[in-house]
């Protein structure tokens, strides 16, 4: 294919340094990119109890909702640098601490992605503290240890599976030998290629019907993979599946269309009939969005958790203090086993406003 001389004028601009820094937060195994800070095991236990234990258990050993983080490592593993329970003959369920080879991976993931309902909300000091708590529970460091950017490299020397990582130089090192030796052709290229795909009827449920599977993270409901029947061409089938998936996620399509015709707001927006003025309702919407409430709850449709309408039908206004406490501390059991993460950062005034809206709104 002939080389083209592409030039762009007055399109875009170079990213500012602060813009790059806002995204460039990953931490490498050599600790480049690590934020300065420190955190003790004791402080980590407090953060863990308030923001992590509801999903991972008090000691990170829970296998109820997510794979356990701790367990399966021994003091001999800490000395040897290889986890014996990862050998095939051991037949022990693997945990995160058994598999990770670099403590930077643990720090990096927690800082960027946890807690799952409020990623990037932990400070660097809180992240050091949480990592210290996990390492203490795994007997990697003592329970009076304070982890920091100054001593984390020393802690790396005690990670149980630190020597268990396989390195492929061609992929790992920037100047390593590539793992392929192909020569680019770059001639007689096909000028236009049309790519289409189709999922055969017999393969639709190879992994089970998604609608019958519990999705515990995010506002995702599995589509009924038995419907609609695939009878047309690939492009027609694709359009039918997308339409059906949208209907499954949003509820009854006709009901939604009717709401739009009547000028009703979207399902996740605060409803009318609350006695609140427009400013208060907008504030409720902002609080729900900021705290990721609408990732699991919608106004009238059950997502991961119950709809706001279901909650208002179960409780009365006298239950507002109890409901506010549940939102703040999190928990599970009332609406099933799926845990609701705690939201300790919501101000009492905002919490009161949200509970008032949930309990008094006409969510239909």
């Amino acid at each position: 294919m002939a080389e083209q001389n592409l030039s762009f004028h007055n399109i875009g601009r170079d990213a500012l340094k602060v813009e790059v820094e806002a995204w460039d937060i990953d931490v490498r195994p050599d600790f480049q990119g690590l934020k300065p800070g420190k955190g003790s095991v004791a402080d980590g236990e407090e953060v863990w109890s308030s923001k992590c234990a509801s999903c991972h258990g008090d000691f990170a050993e829970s296998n109820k909702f997510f794979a356990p983080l701790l367990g399966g490592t021994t003091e001999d593993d800490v000395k040897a640098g290889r986890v014996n329970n990862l050998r095939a003959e051991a037949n022990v369920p693997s945990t995160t601490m058994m598999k990770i080879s670099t403590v930077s991976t643990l720090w990096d993931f927690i800082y960027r992605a946890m807690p799952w309902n409020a990623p990037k909300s932990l400070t660097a000091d809180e992240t050091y503290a949480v990592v210290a708590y996990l390492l203490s529970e795994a007997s990697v460091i003592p329970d009076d240890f304070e982890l920091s950017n100054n001593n984390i490299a020393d802690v790396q020397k005690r990670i149980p599976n630190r020597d268990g990582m396989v390195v492929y130089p061609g992929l790992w090192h920037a100047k390593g030998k590539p793992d392929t030796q192909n020569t680019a052709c770059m001639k007689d290229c096909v000028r236009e290629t049309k790519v289409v795909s189709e999922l055969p009827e017999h393969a639709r449920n190879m992994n089970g019907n998604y609608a019958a599977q519990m999705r515990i993270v995010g506002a995702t409901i599995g589509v009924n993979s038995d419907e609609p029947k695939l009878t047309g061409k690939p492009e027609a089938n694709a359009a039918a599946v997308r339409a059906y998936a949208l209907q499954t996620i949003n509820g009854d399509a006709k009901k939604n269309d009717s709401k739009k015709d009547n000028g009703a707001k979207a399902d996740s927006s605060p409803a009318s009939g609350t006695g609140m003025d427009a400013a208060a309702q907008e504030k409720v919407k902002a609080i729900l969005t900021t705290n990721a409430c609408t990732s699991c709850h919608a106004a009238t449709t059950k997502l991961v958790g119950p709809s706001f309408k279901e909650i208002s039908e179960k409780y009365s206004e006298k239950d507002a203090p109890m409901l506010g406490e549940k939102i703040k501390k999190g928990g599970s059991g009332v609406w099933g086993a799926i845990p609701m993460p705690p939201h300790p950062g919501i101000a009492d005034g905002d919490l009161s406003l949200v509970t008032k809206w949930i309990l008094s709104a006409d969510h239909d």
Side-chain angles (χ1 to χ4, degrees):
M1 184 176 292
E3 182 178 346
Q4 297 181 1
N5 182 19
L6 300 178
S7 59
F8 300 93
H9 300 287
N10 300 320
I11 297 178
R13 60 170 174 77
D14 291 339
L16 300 175
K17 182 179 179 180
V18 292
E19 292 173 329
V20 174
E21 290 176 348
W23 286 95
D24 186 20
I25 64 172
D26 61 301
V27 181
R28 299 191 333 192
D30 61 1
F31 301 111
Q32 183 170 323
L34 185 69
K35 302 289 184 182
K38 60 184 179 180
S40 67
V41 173
D43 290 339
E45 185 173 10
E46 291 186 13
V47 178
W48 185 269
S49 297
S50 64
K51 299 184 179 182
C52 314
S54 62
C55 288
H56 296 291
D58 291 336
F59 306 103
E61 83 300 348
S62 175
N63 193 32
K64 190 173 183 180
F65 307 112
F66 302 98
L69 304 182
L70 301 183
T73 59
T74 66
E75 292 185 6
D76 288 338
D77 297 333
V78 172
K79 296 175 183 177
R82 293 295 299 272
V83 173
N84 188 61
N85 277 331
L86 286 176
R87 303 181 190 279
E89 62 270 18
N91 196 27
V92 174
S94 60
T95 66
T96 299
M97 190 57 66
M98 288 169 60
K99 294 182 290 185
I100 63 167
S101 299
T102 56
V103 68
S104 61
T105 301
L106 193 62
W107 197 100
D108 178 62
F109 185 79
I110 292 173
Y111 184 66
R112 285 199 283 166
M114 293 288 110
W116 73 265
N117 65 311
K120 295 175 68 175
S121 63
L122 295 178
T123 66
D125 287 348
E126 287 176 322
T127 305
Y128 279 107
V130 168
V131 173
Y133 174 70
L134 291 173
L135 294 176
S136 172
E137 290 297 314
S139 299
V140 174
I141 60 176
D143 57 12
D144 60 351
F145 194 84
E146 183 178 72
L147 182 66
S148 71
N149 58 295
N150 294 319
N151 61 22
I152 195 170
D154 294 327
V155 173
Q156 169 62 34
K157 299 173 184 177
R158 290 181 54 80
I159 295 299
N161 201 45
R162 59 188 178 275
D163 296 328
M165 180 170 56
V166 178
V167 175
Y168 297 96
L171 302 176
W172 185 260
H173 301 295
K175 297 183 179 180
K177 184 179 180 181
D179 59 337
T180 61
Q181 305 298 321
N182 298 327
T183 301
C185 171
M186 302 305 292
K187 64 180 181 179
D188 300 325
C189 301
V190 177
R191 291 188 175 275
E192 182 179 356
T193 301
K194 184 177 182 181
V195 179
V196 296
S197 62
E198 179 180 12
L199 184 63
E201 185 75 32
H202 70 272
R204 298 186 76 182
N205 282 329
M206 289 184 69
N207 295 305
N209 190 332
Y210 299 114
Q213 299 175 24
M214 181 176 70
R215 305 299 179 89
I216 63 175
V217 178
T220 305
I221 299 175
V223 66
N224 183 347
S225 53
D226 290 324
E227 299 291 343
K229 300 300 181 185
L230 301 181
T231 57
K233 294 181 179 179
E235 55 268 25
N237 287 338
V241 169
R242 283 195 295 270
Y244 189 85
L246 184 62
Q247 176 182 322
T248 302
I249 294 172
N250 292 340
D252 187 347
K254 293 182 179 179
K255 182 176 180 180
N256 287 343
D257 289 341
S258 175
K259 284 187 177 182
K260 290 178 182 178
D261 292 341
N262 293 329
K265 292 186 177 181
D267 194 35
S268 60
S269 300
S272 58
T274 62
M276 295 182 179
D277 57 28
Q281 291 195 46
E282 284 301 313
K283 185 173 183 179
V284 169
K285 183 177 180 180
I287 296 169
L288 295 176
T289 302
T290 301
N291 291 278
C293 302
T294 51
S295 295
C296 294
H297 304 280
T300 61
T301 305
K302 177 178 172 57
L303 297 178
V304 177
S307 67
F308 294 125
K309 182 174 185 290
E310 290 177 295
I311 299 172
S312 67
E313 291 173 346
K314 183 178 180 68
Y315 299 108
S316 63
E317 291 187 13
K318 65 182 179 61
D319 298 313
M322 176 273 296
L323 186 61
E325 192 74 3
K326 282 182 174 291
I327 294 172
K328 202 153 195 173
K329 292 185 176 180
S332 63
V334 178
W335 298 94
I338 302 174
M340 180 176 73
H343 298 79
I346 301 181
D348 291 340
D350 291 346
L351 197 61
S352 176
L353 191 63
V354 168
T355 54
K356 178 183 177 182
W357 174 78
I358 292 176
L359 295 174
S360 63
D362 176 10
H363 299 288
D364 288 323

